Amino acid sequence: MSQSTATTCPECTGNLERDSQETVCTDCGLVVDTDRLDRGPEWRSFADDDRNRERVGAPLTRSRHDRGLSTEIGYSSRLTGRKRRQFARLRRQHSRANVASKAERNQIYAFTEIRRLVSSLSLTYSVRDQACALFDSAQTEGLLRGRSLEGFAAAAVYAVCRTNGVARTVTEIVAVARADENELRAAYAAMNRDLGLPTGPIDAREYIPRFATDLDVPRAVERRATELAADAAETGSTGGRKPSGVAAACLYAAAREADYPLTQQRAADAAGVTPATLRNAYYALD
Amino acid sequence: MQQEDRRKLSREYFSKERLAEHHYRSFNSFLERGMQDVVTEKGRIETDIGDKEDQEPVFVELGDVRVTTPRVREADGSEELLYPQEARLRNITYSAPVFMEMSIVRGGEEEEETVLDTTETKVGRMPIMVGSSKCNIADFSDEELVDIGEDPADPGGYFIVNGSERVLMTSEDLAPNKILAEYDTKYGDEIQVAKTFSQRRGYRALVLCERNRSGILEVSFPSVSGSINFVTLVRALGLESDEEIVHRVSDDPEIVKFMLENLEEADVQTEAEAIETLGKRVASGQGKDYQLKRANYVIDRYLLPHLHEEGVEDEETRINKAYYLCRMAEACFELALDRREADDKDHYANKRLKVSGDLMKDLFRTALNKLSRDVKYQLERANMRNRQLTVNTVVRSDVLTERLEHPIATGNWVGGRSGVSQLVDRTDHMGVLSHLRRLRSPLSRSQPHFEARDLHATQWGRICPSETPEGPNCGLVKNFAQAMELSQNVDDEQDLKAELSSMGVEGVPGLQHETDAPADD
């Protein structure tokens, strides 16, 4: 049982995903390799030298301005009177002293906003951490000046979703964000320009499962829609069209093939596009 | 009864539905009523917006709460029903989204109250008990269960958090809101104490009434250090005259004699004086006005909270608190005069069981408080940055989720109890059944507690006389008997009080007695 070095699946050339035990193809599910030994880093990162041997405490996280290393003054029911009031004052001074600079305060606010967005969109922790890291680099680059914090928080979540292949539409994010669409777009443009985000055009297939759930269509229709989208991506027939419109069109086309009642209006609403966009994409499909 | 019939009856008790029934009955009533009760008692979330000049106050009104059945949201954003077996295999949590109606209201000071936004929003996820009414496999037939990979013989009654099955240990507590009289020793002398664990809305306060060696009654309750003279306290509660105090305690001549000793020792005569004395105790070294305010607050907040009721003024319950304290005093005296025996703490009438629903209610209450604090903070931030206040942008749903999941996953419950949730014993089928029907006494296992470990006569038919572990936990961990029936707390207190009042009982708070004509005596 050696560690395989292949990066694609030997059977279907799909992407391989490696977790602590198994290397699995994400497309066909073939288990390429198993390795009972966990060769990954220890559950907590620590400096790799002899002097720093700490193995206690919670793991460091990018999603907190202080990496999760903060001190709080707790409460005790045994304290009474003067001592209790003294600790209340200490606590207040401590929380004031927690934030050293304006930038840090902004970061705390933005990270809270990112955490809120991630939780209300039910995204994963890795998206949260990456979004916070992205915001951090945007802040160090000085992109925030003159733009809104909320916009950057929303844009960071949008960008990370997109680069991770779990794209959300701008409309979906704006619906739960404190920023409006213009703020988000301005922030995203700035980050895309100055940080060089590794994004390409969005694949319509990333939208289909979500829209299918919203429309409550059968599994078979969803599967067919994904096939249609894959074909379209291969032939390039929908190149240049709005991906959410293409996704809606694929769902509509698949529903029509299966005689499942789905109106253009409903499909378009689920995707947040106009029926006209859907129709254009639909005609381009065949 | 014929042997055949007996066998049939006995089989019925071993049916799948019966074995973990206490768990899902309790959890179902939590889902149906308990959750809404907790939200209703919270009522609204106040904010600090409006403390400054020319700003209208803002608050959030909490409405109906609703739980769906468990579902999972995938990374691609699609959502589908989740079945227990999938949760186990994928190491995810078998939980359902919780929705709550919230409206943000501004105004009330100078302007009229205007609703800024009303939405039903997802506030978090609630772990769902397998087999409960909100479980996706609740009314599946055996064939359907097999189809989705579920064991038809599995009794349910546990939660699945991060793929591991956790059962909430039933815990055995002393009955709240009940006077327990017992002996105690203080400085080598035997004294008599009447205790009440007064409980309301998850707040638990121990009230002690003790008769010290010189025969003087003293009361102690939370937020007051040490103890307070009994007569002072009842006077502060509005029971002023000597005659009435004695009459309310007892008509027994010997107890009256004891009471007169107490009244002689009393250093205050009126209600106002008594509250002043109390104020000096609870806020010594503070201004006079503050002392009075604090004294009134302490009386209404920390003394015998279970006598309060929804929709009844605090002032009205005060006199009932005085009567209740008199009953406690009577218990002390009766014990001193050997008119009664000390209450038996191991008697099953003096015990209450906390099953999964009650535990989840405690958890949900603190989780909701945490959520409220977060909503308050988010609202204040959003307001400070001049953002539009909408429900969707101030609720962070992971706050509630984490507060609900974490205790179930680790067993560290609110209130510092640990080991409340345990990994379901899957050694074999009998192991599971035994584990689901286990109960635990909160007493420390490192102390002898011989009486608590003994088999008590009142456990007959309720607790299995032979199934208990050997070693330190012996007699503290018990198992239900086969035919045990667990009765549930039913909310009929109001009806009962109304009925009693209609039959002529006077002094029921919040209910006006219909016939004001005095009884002919």
Side-chain angles (χ1 to χ4, degrees), chain A:
Chain A
M1 287 195 196
S2 65
Q3 275 213 300
S4 100
T5 43
T7 48
T8 53
C9 172
E11 288 197 358
C12 70
T13 68
N15 282 328
L16 292 184
E17 196 180 79
R18 183 167 293 136
D19 69 3
S20 57
Q21 287 193 0
E22 291 175 334
T23 307
V24 186
C25 170
T26 49
D27 288 346
C28 66
L30 177 78
V31 179
V32 180
D33 193 18
T34 57
D35 187 7
R36 281 271 170 186
L37 290 182
D38 185 356
R39 290 169 204 280
E42 228 175 321
W43 66 280
R44 170 174 132 72
S45 64
F46 58 97
D48 196 13
D49 59 25
D50 297 331
R51 266 158 297 162
N52 187 1
R53 298 182 146 276
E54 295 163 43
R55 280 175 170 77
V56 291
L60 296 180
T61 165
R62 291 301 301 264
S63 66
R64 302 242 166 211
H65 73 284
D66 53 8
R67 304 276 164 96
L69 290 177
S70 55
T71 309
E72 267 182 53
I73 303 177
Y75 296 84
S76 164
S77 54
R78 265 180 299 181
L79 294 177
T80 44
R82 180 161 298 167
K83 207 73 176 172
R84 185 192 288 260
R85 286 194 287 277
Q86 185 193 348
F87 269 96
R89 288 196 299 277
L90 269 174
R91 216 172 280 128
R92 184 161 64 237
Q93 289 307 326
H94 180 73
S95 65
R96 281 178 188 165
N98 249 344
V99 187
S101 62
K102 195 85 193 254
E104 213 175 323
R105 189 182 302 278
N106 286 344
Q107 201 175 48
I108 295 171
Y109 177 67
F111 281 11
T112 322
E113 173 73 359
I114 289 175
R115 277 207 301 278
R116 194 183 61 74
L117 283 171
V118 165
S119 81
S120 53
L121 292 166
S122 312
L123 293 163
T124 58
Y125 288 140
S126 90
V127 170
R128 183 190 70 190
D129 290 357
Q130 288 177 55
C132 289
L134 183 61
F135 179 87
D136 195 18
S137 28
Q139 199 176 24
T140 19
E141 287 292 307
L143 302 181
L144 263 64
R145 179 155 296 179
R147 303 190 183 95
S148 89
L149 275 178
E150 288 89 353
F152 265 92
V157 174
Y158 174 76
V160 169
C161 284
R162 215 171 139 168
T163 51
N164 276 330
V166 287
R168 299 291 189 273
T169 61
V170 173
T171 341
E172 279 174 297
I173 291 190
V174 166
V176 286
R178 281 191 196 153
D180 58 33
E181 192 171 334
N182 294 333
E183 286 172 325
L184 191 157
R185 286 198 188 280
Y188 181 72
M191 284 201 284
N192 199 12
R193 193 172 53 240
D194 291 359
L195 299 175
L197 298 174
T199 50
I202 301 169
D203 190 338
R205 274 172 290 179
E206 291 173 27
Y207 291 141
I208 290 178
R210 204 161 59 253
F211 296 160
T213 315
D214 293 346
L215 292 167
D216 207 14
V217 296
R219 274 289 168 78
V221 173
E222 184 189 329
R223 215 173 301 127
R224 179 72 190 128
T226 317
E227 280 171 24
L228 287 174
D231 291 348
E234 212 151 281
T235 56
S237 57
T238 52
R241 293 192 186 279
K242 195 173 183 166
S244 52
V246 176
C250 290
L251 277 166
Y252 173 68
R256 258 191 92 149
E257 270 179 39
D259 277 334
Y260 179 79
L262 178 68
T263 59
Q264 289 184 354
Q265 183 69 54
R266 267 188 70 216
D269 282 350
V273 295
T274 59
T277 317
L278 185 150
R279 265 193 299 281
N280 288 336
Y282 177 61
Y283 294 135
L285 273 180
D286 34 46

Side-chain angles (χ1 to χ4, degrees), chain B residues 84-102:
Chain B
Q85 190 60 16
E86 190 181 345
R88 281 188 275 254
L89 291 174
R90 289 179 57 190
N91 283 354
I92 51 180
T93 304
Y94 191 59
S95 61
V98 181
F99 296 91
M100 188 153 70
E101 241 173 50
M102 290 172 133

Side-chain angles (χ1 to χ4, degrees), chain B residues 52-300:
Chain B
K52 277 189 284 174
E53 294 277 311
D54 3 288
Q55 230 186 4
E56 282 295 307
V58 173
F59 59 89
V60 182
E61 199 78 51
L62 304 182
D64 290 346
V65 66
R66 178 173 66 91
V67 190
T68 62
T69 59
R71 44 208 70 204
V72 57
R73 189 174 279 271
E74 307 289 352
D76 61 20
S78 61
E79 197 177 50
E80 53 195 281
L81 285 186
L82 180 65
Y83 292 106
Q85 190 60 16
E86 190 181 345
R88 281 188 275 254
L89 291 174
R90 289 179 57 190
N91 283 354
I92 51 180
T93 304
Y94 191 59
S95 61
V98 181
F99 296 91
M100 188 153 70
E101 241 173 50
M102 290 172 133
S103 26
I104 303 179
V105 185
R106 187 198 289 275
E109 203 113 287
E110 275 164 29
E111 294 165 35
E112 224 164 87
E113 288 186 4
T114 46
V115 178
L116 299 181
D117 185 28
T118 307
T119 327
E120 187 186 54
T121 180
K122 185 184 155 196
V123 292
R125 308 175 67 82
M126 163 73 66
I128 294 293
M129 180 186 283
V130 177
S132 69
S133 61
K134 292 286 181 197
C135 176
N136 282 325
I137 58 164
D139 19 61
F140 273 23
S141 67
D142 282 6
E143 288 76 37
E144 286 173 304
L145 286 174
V146 172
D147 279 348
I148 57 154
E150 205 61 38
D151 178 5
D154 185 76
Y158 51 85
F159 298 87
I160 302 172
V161 176
N162 298 328
S164 68
E165 301 166 317
R166 314 286 305 195
V167 59
L168 300 186
M169 243 335 92
T170 309
S171 90
E172 186 184 64
D173 285 334
L174 218 50
N177 311 340
K178 215 174 165 180
I179 299 174
L180 289 177
E182 57 187 46
Y183 293 105
D184 201 358
T185 46
K186 213 171 198 180
Y187 311 119
D189 287 320
E190 190 174 71
I191 56 163
Q192 297 80 35
V193 192
K195 281 183 186 176
T196 294
F197 286 97
S198 176
Q199 193 170 14
R200 175 176 152 84
R201 293 180 177 173
Y203 176 68
R204 205 172 144 92
L206 172 64
V207 180
L208 282 175
C209 176
E210 46 183 55
R211 178 175 175 272
N212 64 19
R213 53 183 161 174
S214 42
I216 304 301
L217 287 169
E218 282 170 343
V219 182
S220 57
F221 60 96
S223 89
V224 182
S225 56
S227 47
I228 294 170
N229 185 278
F230 171 79
V231 180
T232 312
L233 192 58
V234 284
R235 289 218 161 112
L237 290 167
L239 202 60
E240 266 187 334
S241 76
D242 286 7
E243 192 202 337
E244 216 181 344
I245 296 175
V246 173
H247 167 71
R248 285 292 173 183
V249 173
S250 181
D251 291 331
D252 185 309
E254 288 198 59
I255 294 182
V256 170
K257 209 173 81 200
F258 279 142
M259 261 331 282
L260 290 176
E261 281 172 32
N262 267 285
L263 287 165
E264 243 163 73
E265 287 287 318
D267 31 79
V268 290
Q269 298 303 326
T270 61
E271 185 178 344
E273 255 182 287
I275 291 184
E276 215 170 285
T277 320
L278 187 65
K280 278 187 193 135
R281 285 297 301 279
V282 291
S284 59
Q286 312 271 333
K288 193 122 222 166
D289 288 347
Y290 180 75
Q291 283 188 354
L292 289 184
K293 207 177 120 190
R294 179 75 191 163
N296 282 310
Y297 179 75
V298 163
I299 286 178
D300 291 331

Side-chain angles (χ1 to χ4, degrees), chain B residues 13-14 47-48 105 115 129 212 218 276 283 354-355 400 406 427 443 466 474 517:
Chain B
Y13 272 111
F14 271 118
T47 65
D48 291 342
V105 185
V115 178
M129 180 186 283
N212 64 19
E218 282 170 343
E276 215 170 285
K354 264 192 157 165
V355 202
L400 192 86
H406 198 255
T427 314
L443 291 170
S466 50
C474 187

